[in-house]
Amino acid sequence: MLYKTFALVYDEVMDPFLYTEWLNFTKRHLPTDTKRILELACGTGALACDFSRDGYEVIAVDLSEEMLSIASERAEEEGVEVQFVQGDMMDLSELGTYEAITCYSDSLCYMPNQESVQQVFDSVYQALEEGGTFMFDVHSIFQVDEVFPEYSYHYQTDDFAFLWDSYQGEKDHSIEHNLTFFVKENPEDEKFIRHDELHQERTYSLDNYYMMLESANFTNIEIYADFTDEKPSENSTRWFFVCKK
């Protein structure tokens, strides 16, 4: 299962400052009277907890039981209230409607094809209240085609080691991340167990995303880059979209 092992060390390898960046970007582009947020692909719940701490009513969805287990423990430890739900963002029909829906950390890039991305957009549109806001980010084509290939990142502590190597995928604007983990089987001994995972991501052109959003009936589509309120350039690595129903 995707993220099965990654969930164990996810918070160790993620830059915590990114959550602050996502929170600040969201707050800058949400109407000030927004109260209810649905966060898609919530992972270990760091951003969901930040939303809750900032006064929002938060429902957070993820496909991974392992991620949601860690997220629930986090919310309890931090004393914040978040409703965590296991679910697929391609079908939000049973989750009610919301004033705002977010999907960050390039989670949409994990969709296997353009049809799946379109299905997410259609599903989000139906789950938004009239006048609601949808915000998400994806990797830029520059990031996938120029930055990621041959990328290598290694990280270790006393309890685990993490190796991340990226290679060009077979499809246009796709990338494959080979993740290898060495995790202590038992804190009392020095035996490590190896786990391997393959994460595949794909992105599309700005025009394609815009077309899919319009097809889902979104309006007032604004596009920004790299956590700023500036328009994308040819070297932007992360694209941000803010759309209205």
Side-chain angles (χ1 to χ4, degrees), residues 47 51 71 91 94 120 172:
L47 183 56
F51 280 142
D91 182 7
E94 297 184 1
V120 173
D172 289 345

Side-chain angles (χ1 to χ4, degrees), residues 91-216:
D91 182 7
L92 305 173
S93 58
E94 297 184 1
L95 294 180
T97 58
Y98 300 85
E99 297 165 275
I101 298 178
T102 65
C103 185
Y104 290 133
S105 196
D106 48 272
S107 298
L108 272 168
C109 293
Y110 282 88
M111 294 294 103
N113 50 48
Q114 195 165 323
E115 291 73 24
S116 299
V117 177
Q118 184 68 64
Q119 188 170 339
V120 173
F121 289 166
D122 293 342
S123 180
V124 168
Y125 187 85
Q126 294 302 319
L128 274 176
E129 296 178 2
E130 200 64 38
T133 307
F134 176 38
M135 282 181 273
F136 67 93
D137 68 8
V138 292
H139 289 311
S140 71
I141 287 178
F142 174 75
Q143 173 76 5
V144 171
D145 290 356
E146 304 296 333
V147 178
F148 269 143
E150 309 308 319
Y151 171 80
S152 184
Y153 173 78
H154 297 173
Y155 179 85
Q156 69 180 56
T157 69
D158 291 339
D159 297 321
F160 72 87
F162 172 54
L163 288 69
W164 177 334
D165 296 289
S166 298
Y167 305 94
Q168 194 80 49
E170 294 182 0
K171 299 176 181 177
D172 289 345
H173 314 312
S174 67
I175 197 75
E176 295 187 351
H177 307 293
N178 291 311
L179 309 181
T180 301
F181 307 83
F182 295 90
V183 183
K184 263 192 181 181
E185 184 177 33
N186 189 316
E188 281 73 41
D189 61 39
E190 294 300 317
K191 184 178 181 181
F192 287 77
I193 302 298
R194 174 174 174 163
H195 303 269
D196 294 282
E197 291 189 5
L198 174 64
H199 289 220
Q200 297 173 304
E201 293 192 272
R202 187 179 184 185
T203 198
Y204 304 92
S205 69
L206 287 172
D207 287 343
N208 273 356
Y209 283 117
Y210 201 98
M211 177 189 65
M212 287 188 282
L213 288 165
E214 282 194 321
S215 179

Side-chain angles (χ1 to χ4, degrees), residues 19-35:
Y19 297 116
T20 302
E21 293 272 58
W22 279 309
L23 175 66
N24 290 339
F25 181 88
T26 305
K27 291 170 64 177
R28 290 199 306 271
H29 293 278
L30 277 183
T32 55
D33 60 349
T34 302
K35 293 181 174 61

